[in-house]
Amino acid sequence: MAATSFDLVGPHAIEMGFPWEFLFTRLNPDRTPIDLTGCRAELVLLDATDPTAAPLRFNTESGHVALGGAEGTTAIRLSGEDTRGIAETHSRYRLTFVDASGNASLFFRGRVAYLEAAG
């Protein structure tokens, strides 16, 4: 399956210094949930201004990504402390899933927008 371009902008933008979450369900073409049992996932934020900069990684191992097994759900949750540590130059992302056999697949990729914390 080819990766889908999906920008984390507008209602999906990250507000700096506040918790952020992104929730979705992976579905088969027949609209039944994809079983994510035994899978891992990783959200990687990339610095668009410096390709040599270390990416920021949030994944199932760190507890930032939770997979719902047979229900096919994915919940990405960053704390306010996490979002305070992101530079606005990390304006590109990719979300990758690794199945139980170790096969990785790029699922989403796109731009990330950030909002300054209000007053």
Side-chain angles (χ1 to χ4, degrees):
M1 171 189 287
T4 298
S5 180
F6 184 86
D7 293 334
L8 299 173
V9 300
H12 304 296
I14 296 173
E15 188 166 1
M16 307 301 263
F18 286 91
W20 175 82
E21 67 180 10
F22 184 62
L23 313 170
F24 62 93
T25 301
R26 291 194 58 186
L27 300 173
N28 289 300
D30 67 359
R31 309 289 298 160
T32 58
I34 292 175
D35 188 351
L36 299 175
T37 302
C39 292
R40 300 184 323 266
E42 181 172 62
L43 172 71
V44 177
L45 300 177
L46 304 161
D47 189 321
T49 63
D50 182 1
T52 64
L56 299 177
R57 298 177 181 279
F58 303 98
N59 50 48
T60 47
E61 290 80 9
S62 69
H64 292 95
V65 181
L67 303 178
E71 294 179 11
T73 58
T74 299
I76 303 169
R77 292 187 173 95
L78 303 182
S79 69
E81 183 176 329
D82 293 328
T83 64
R84 271 190 297 280
I86 300 172
E88 288 187 33
T89 56
H90 284 89
S91 59
R92 306 288 301 165
Y93 84 97
R94 68 175 176 252
L95 177 64
T96 305
F97 285 85
V98 179
D99 68 20
S101 300
N103 300 311
S105 62
L106 182 60
F107 186 66
F108 281 148
R109 66 174 166 218
R111 297 177 301 132
V112 182
Y114 299 98
L115 305 172
E116 291 296 321

